[in-house]
Amino acid sequence: MKKLKIMSIKIMLISLLFLLMIACSNEFAKQEYNSNEKISQINDHYAKEVSAFNSIDGGISLTVSKFNGRETLWTETLESNQNIEISFSFCLSKGQAKIVHIDNDGNVTTIIECLPNTSTDGFVTKNVSLKNGQNRLKIVGYDCEDIDLKILFPKPQE
């Protein structure tokens, strides 16, 4: 009987430890959400569940059931500065997320930010100043659930 009681206590402590780890799993994302130093890093740092990233006609599509962290969605190296208009459809049911542009110098600019009550209704077009060198778009978020993101890029001029 005493062995059973000790075993039950061990199981409860291990379960409590797992619950504590799960509850704190998004803390890194919350701390890094406003850190341009972390966001501008080449390396991504994220945790996500049930994710689909696809090319669509003229852009990309991302759906994720749960997301925390920062992930690169698009990279382009340019030979000269350009201003382009990018269209975004961006919604989520919980949490906070944003799409940022990172230029070759590591400067971070928020293009669009999304909360459950500020999700876009259809597409929103934003002007983005791309610089000579590498340009990246990243999604950054914490406590996110049910992300549905579409990004459409301008058609190349012929």
Side-chain angles (χ1 to χ4, degrees):
M1 187 68 146
K2 190 171 185 170
K3 286 183 180 183
L4 184 60
K5 190 174 185 178
I6 291 173
M7 182 67 101
S8 295
I9 290 172
K10 285 182 181 181
I11 290 172
M12 279 190 350
L13 288 174
I14 290 171
S15 298
L16 184 60
L17 178 63
F18 280 118
L19 285 173
L20 184 60
M21 287 173 46
I22 291 170
C24 296
S25 66
N26 72 337
E27 196 59 37
F28 80 94
K30 199 178 273 190
Q31 290 174 354
E32 295 175 359
Y33 188 80
N34 292 310
S35 172
N36 288 348
E37 179 184 343
K38 294 285 188 182
I39 293 169
S40 66
Q41 292 177 353
I42 296 293
N43 297 333
D44 293 335
H45 184 204
Y46 59 86
K48 63 183 178 178
E49 293 180 17
V50 190
S51 172
F53 183 84
N54 296 300
S55 291
I56 57 174
D57 186 29
I60 56 176
S61 170
L62 174 70
T63 57
V64 185
S65 67
K66 291 186 180 184
F67 180 83
N68 285 293
R70 58 188 192 277
E71 180 179 11
T72 302
L73 302 173
W74 175 84
T75 302
E76 186 74 31
T77 302
L78 302 175
E79 293 187 21
S80 62
N81 296 347
Q82 294 180 25
N83 287 324
I84 65 170
E85 289 187 342
I86 303 174
S87 298
F88 298 89
S89 172
F90 194 14
C91 61
L92 50 77
S93 65
K94 181 182 176 210
Q96 185 170 352
K98 59 186 175 182
I99 305 299
V100 298
H101 168 249
I102 304 148
D103 68 20
N104 198 48
D105 298 324
N107 298 312
V108 177
T109 304
T110 299
I111 301 170
I112 188 168
E113 195 158 12
C114 187
L115 300 160
N117 60 343
T118 63
S119 294
T120 63
D121 185 22
F123 280 90
V124 173
T125 301
K126 301 286 187 172
N127 189 39
V128 180
S129 296
L130 304 177
K131 288 178 111 179
N132 178 36
Q134 186 183 62
N135 292 270
R136 295 175 284 145
L137 294 181
K138 278 191 180 186
I139 185 169
V140 181
Y142 65 91
D143 286 339
C144 298
E145 291 185 11
D146 305 319
I147 293 174
D148 186 3
L149 171 68
K150 291 176 185 57
I151 302 174
L152 299 177
F153 299 99
K155 301 224 185 274
Q157 297 178 1
E158 296 180 20

